[in-house]
Amino acid sequence: MIVEVAYALPNQQVILPVKVPSGTNAEAAIHASGLLAKFPEIDLAVNKIGIFGKLTKLETELRHLDRIEIYRPLIADPKEVRRQRAAEGKVMKKGGGDIAE
């Protein structure tokens, strides 16, 4: 069966088709793709993976035409960034505060 292994950097995206036997798990497909040799910063103990945007485990058995995605760690916590934007908006009186009559 054929699966794809994807990894994206800010300026580069790599999607490699890999032919694997039925019953192959995500970890084996990632190793078979050769991405770990091209991108030594990938650490499967640290980097999360997913199949078509849904988080999954390394031992997940793959199906024909699945795309395994290797995710990079987040630079900033999205919740914290939202909190900071909201706090700035309140201080600067931007957005939906109380309406003065």
Side-chain angles (χ1 to χ4, degrees):
M1 69 179 178
I2 301 291
V3 297
E4 293 179 329
V5 179
Y7 182 65
L9 295 168
N11 59 352
Q12 179 184 14
Q13 178 179 331
V14 179
I15 300 175
L16 299 173
V18 182
K19 187 173 185 176
V20 294
S22 290
T24 299
N25 66 23
E27 184 175 16
I30 291 168
H31 284 286
S33 74
L35 268 180
L36 299 178
K38 287 183 184 178
F39 299 98
E41 70 271 15
I42 298 173
D43 179 357
L44 294 180
V46 175
N47 293 77
K48 295 184 183 220
I49 67 162
I51 296 176
F52 291 117
K54 293 187 104 176
L55 286 178
T56 192
K57 295 182 179 180
L58 290 169
E59 47 283 342
T60 300
E61 190 173 312
L62 301 174
R63 295 181 297 184
H64 182 60
L65 299 180
D66 273 351
R67 182 181 64 226
I68 304 109
E69 300 158 343
I70 303 169
Y71 304 122
R72 291 179 292 121
L74 294 175
I75 294 170
D77 178 15
K79 289 181 184 178
E80 185 57 36
V81 171
R82 254 182 254 122
R83 274 190 215 104
Q84 288 175 355
R85 277 196 210 134
E88 288 170 9
K90 288 176 188 169
V91 170
M92 297 171 63
K93 303 247 186 243
K94 290 181 187 172
D98 292 331
I99 299 173
E101 293 182 16

